[in-house]
Amino acid sequence: MIEKAGIPAAHLAAMTSMAKIAGSNRIISSGLIPHPVGDPSRSPEEELKWRTGQVRKALNAAATPLDEALIFPDW
Amino acid sequence: MVRVAHYINQFFAGIGGEDKADHPFEVREGAVGPGRAVEMAGGGDVEIVQTLVCGDNAFHADTEGTLAAIEAALAESKPDLLIAGPGFNAGRYGLACAAVCAVATEKLGIPALTGVYVDAPAVDVYRSRVVMVPTGDSAAGMKDAVEGMLRVGLRLAAGEPLGPAEEDGRIPMGFRKAVVTETPVAARVVDMLMAKLRGEPFTSEVALPEPAEAVPPAPPVADLSGAVVAVVTDGGLVPVGNPDGIESSSATKWARYPIDDLVRNDDPSFMSIHAGYDSQWVDADPDRLVPIDALLDLEAEGVIKEAHPYYYVTTGTGTTVTHAERMGEEIAKQLISDGVHAVLVTST
């Protein structure tokens, strides 16, 4: 609905196929189900570094022109 | 002999078409129109004891009054079964059929069912409350519709419990029922997997949702360094005490909370009320769901102009598509009026 309203929305989720079924357009595979932008196995500093990387990916997805829904590759 | 009451509209009663749609409610004795086909399909074991007739516009002009009159008529005739329609793909007629069934079962305990096309409006509104048999989309499918309705209807009248919708020949009502099977789940799922690997047919026991209607992608953000970015999540993160009463599942509410509060995470502190995942890691550090620390770092670096001062939240488990779409529209409206250029959505 947010994309429908004209705002690009990058969707960070572990279950990317579910995000696709639900109708998201910009999908970024991220984390695990209970913590899509968290990784408790890392030290707090490393976790923030990783999370910032995931957010960067999502921002780049929001800045990418698309014709149809895409699960972004882990670049 | 099974005694049946039958509801039909002015068209199937032979009164007239759209020009007679305001025909007032009336009760007729015996079978009228498709009721004769019902009796015929019943092969002498089924009798239509009364036919309830109402014009499509008359019904909806005074739904409450018509339903009260129907309730009174049924309370007097005490049929073993109520059959409504079939309504096929009709909007007003299908809705009326389903509403009449709901009154019969919910107010009087009379088994009732209707027949409708699977995409008819009545299915969306009444599927969880009313037994419905799938029919074709027009009266050309009358014979099959009547036979299908009677097959299920006679079982209802006999007090037999419902089975799985597909086996019964019904439109699924959307609830699950526990049954004891001969084969444990582990064996069933391995059998299913083996069938899949061999390319053989198999039937999943879990109904997957229909894919949502595709939305054309929004135009991209032209310049991230000038963008205001907001976070939206369906992970149920709220201030302790859940001040807006967002539901733990089947949500109908959303809220937004200041990211400043979340950064402090102290008075109020935040926790997830989502009933569909283990929230211990998010409760320990909400950034794992709403990545405000990372977003503020990127703002400081100049990658984005600004993190929007609120994050938006609801609970995404058991939430109906209708409510999800409505909440999405409301959130989008707020985001637009706040001048947000891009959104990060996180889902658990």
Side-chain angles (χ1 to χ4, degrees):
Chain A
M1 287 297 133
I2 294 170
E3 286 253 333
K4 201 172 183 177
I7 305 176
H11 193 171
L12 295 137
M15 290 190 287
T16 51
S17 57
M18 199 63 95
K20 184 119 190 254
I21 286 177
S24 290
N25 284 330
R26 298 171 153 89
I27 303 162
I28 298 92
S29 169
S30 187
L32 295 176
I33 292 169
H35 41 78
V37 284
D39 183 356
S41 72
R42 298 172 194 249
S43 70
E45 296 76 25
E46 284 297 310
E47 186 180 5
L48 174 56
K49 215 164 127 184
W50 170 82
R51 175 160 49 247
T52 307
Q54 296 302 97
V55 170
R56 271 183 200 275
K57 283 186 206 172
L59 290 170
N60 286 331
T64 303
L66 287 185
D67 293 325
E68 57 181 21
L70 180 65
I71 299 174
F72 280 78
D74 201 358
W75 70 75
Chain B
M1 182 68 72
V2 178
R3 299 173 67 256
V4 176
H6 189 206
Y7 177 84
I8 53 176
N9 69 357
Q10 86 285 353
F11 176 76
F12 285 101
I15 295 164
E18 202 51 47
D19 56 323
K20 300 287 183 193
D22 55 0
H23 186 82
F25 173 68
E26 61 166 311
V27 182
R28 296 193 187 178
E29 268 186 43
V32 177
R36 298 201 184 91
V38 172
E39 285 190 335
M40 209 168 345
D45 295 330
V46 171
E47 183 193 358
I48 306 276
V49 292
Q50 69 181 169
T51 302
L52 313 164
V53 182
C54 191
D56 285 334
N57 287 348
F59 182 92
H60 291 283
D62 180 18
T63 309
E64 225 169 280
T66 310
L67 288 175
I70 288 172
E71 187 184 342
L74 291 171
E76 203 179 306
S77 65
K78 295 189 180 61
D80 303 317
L81 177 69
L82 171 89
I83 292 178
F88 302 108
N89 199 21
R92 286 168 303 172
Y93 184 32
L95 285 165
C97 286
V100 172
C101 289
V103 162
T105 50
E106 292 167 9
K107 298 233 168 144
L108 300 167
I110 298 170
L113 81 167
T114 184
V116 284
Y117 184 59
V118 287
D119 285 335
V123 177
D124 265 354
V125 182
Y126 284 102
R127 74 181 317 152
S128 64
R129 294 167 58 193
V130 171
V131 175
M132 300 186 197
V133 169
T135 71
D137 62 356
S138 79
M142 181 62 86
K143 186 166 176 285
D144 288 345
V146 163
E147 286 172 5
M149 287 164 70
L150 202 57
R151 202 161 38 236
V152 177
L154 289 178
R155 290 185 45 210
L156 292 177
E160 289 178 31
L162 295 173
E166 203 172 324
E167 284 174 27
D168 282 359
R170 290 184 296 105
I171 295 175
M173 297 175 80
F175 59 81
R176 297 178 196 171
K177 194 171 157 185
V179 292
V180 178
T181 61
E182 295 289 316
T183 324
V185 64
R188 297 203 304 278
V189 74
V190 170
D191 285 348
M192 222 181 276
L193 178 62
M194 293 308 288
K196 186 171 186 176
L197 290 173
R198 289 192 208 104
E200 292 168 3
F202 65 94
T203 308
S204 170
E205 294 176 18
V206 179
L208 288 176
E210 292 285 316
E213 193 187 336
V215 170
V221 179
D223 172 22
L224 277 177
S225 66
V228 177
V229 180
V231 178
V232 177
T233 185
D234 63 27
L237 187 74
V238 298
V240 166
N242 191 13
D244 295 286
I246 295 179
E247 300 89 340
S248 291
S249 69
S250 306
T252 62
K253 296 176 197 162
W254 61 273
R256 63 175 197 170
Y257 299 108
I259 60 171
D260 284 351
D261 288 0
L262 187 58
V263 169
R264 286 202 320 276
N265 194 21
D266 175 27
D267 192 28
S269 53
F270 286 73
M271 64 173 288
S272 172
I273 47 89
H274 191 297
Y277 72 97
D278 182 348
S279 63
Q280 58 170 307
W281 297 280
V282 166
D283 292 343
D285 180 0
D287 287 310
R288 290 169 173 157
L289 180 67
V290 180
I292 291 306
D293 57 352
L295 204 58
L296 290 175
D297 281 359
L298 292 169
E299 177 187 308
E301 256 183 64
V303 174
I304 61 167
K305 178 166 168 255
E306 190 190 325
H308 179 59
Y310 297 91
Y311 78 93
Y312 293 72
V313 59
T314 185
T315 297
T317 185
T319 305
T320 63
V321 172
T322 310
H323 282 300
E325 287 183 347
R326 192 246 320 143
M327 291 191 279
E329 276 170 23
E330 291 169 359
I331 291 171
K333 212 167 154 188
Q334 180 74 49
L335 293 169
I336 288 171
S337 73
D338 288 352
V340 169
H341 301 108
V343 170
L344 306 179
V345 181
T346 62
S347 281
T348 50

